Amino acid sequence: QVQLQESGPGLVKPSQTLSLTCAVSGVSITTDSGYWTWVRQPPGKGRQWMGAIAYSGSTYYSPFLKSRISISRDTSKNQFTLQLSSVTPEDTAVYYCARAIGLSSPLNADEYDYWGQGIQVTVSS
């Protein structure tokens, strides 16, 4: 059974770097052919594809975030991490990690088979 669990701070100050970790169990992120993905949902809006890391370690980012986003992994812990720099209140959202079989943006829900429960992150001073 594949499970994903997000962790990280729920409050980040403007201009700081948001850092979240997704712990994966039930499958290895280095051998599974899926894309290990970060998605967010701002208040009152739909889910937005942010980026992903493949089993090979290749990374893919939304062009809207490309200058601020970084996704990495710790293979020894079977987890992957999101870093989003220079955050503003517009980055306030529920952040999800997920396994997807594609990289569609806008997000195509049919491409996703496993989701974490989500973590609320608020950007505020």
Side-chain angles (χ1 to χ4, degrees):
Q1 182 181 3
V2 178
Q3 293 184 320
L4 296 90
Q5 179 67 59
E6 304 92 347
S7 62
L11 180 65
V12 182
K13 295 184 184 301
S15 80
Q16 292 187 340
T17 296
L18 180 162
S19 184
L20 298 175
T21 296
C22 181
V24 180
S25 60
V27 67
S28 169
I29 64 172
T30 60
T31 58
D32 182 80
S33 59
Y35 296 100
W36 302 97
T37 305
W38 287 99
V39 171
R40 69 181 181 181
Q41 186 166 18
K45 298 184 179 180
R47 294 188 179 186
Q48 302 171 349
W49 183 83
M50 300 181 69
I53 186 165
Y55 71 95
S56 62
S58 296
T59 52
Y60 308 85
Y61 300 131
S62 166
F64 300 105
L65 299 172
K66 195 169 186 178
S67 63
R68 298 196 294 132
I69 189 174
S70 177
I71 298 175
S72 60
R73 64 183 184 177
D74 185 335
T75 58
S76 67
K77 296 181 179 179
N78 206 43
Q79 61 189 28
F80 60 107
T81 299
L82 167 72
Q83 290 194 309
L84 186 66
S85 64
S86 304
V87 297
T88 72
E90 291 188 346
D91 294 308
T92 293
V94 178
Y95 286 75
Y96 299 90
C97 59
R99 180 191 178 277
I101 59 172
L103 296 169
S104 295
S105 180
L107 187 146
N108 179 354
D110 291 339
E111 293 181 346
Y112 291 76
D113 48 13
Y114 297 102
W115 290 86
Q117 64 182 23
I119 182 169
Q120 172 69 48
V121 178
T122 300
V123 179
S124 175
S125 55

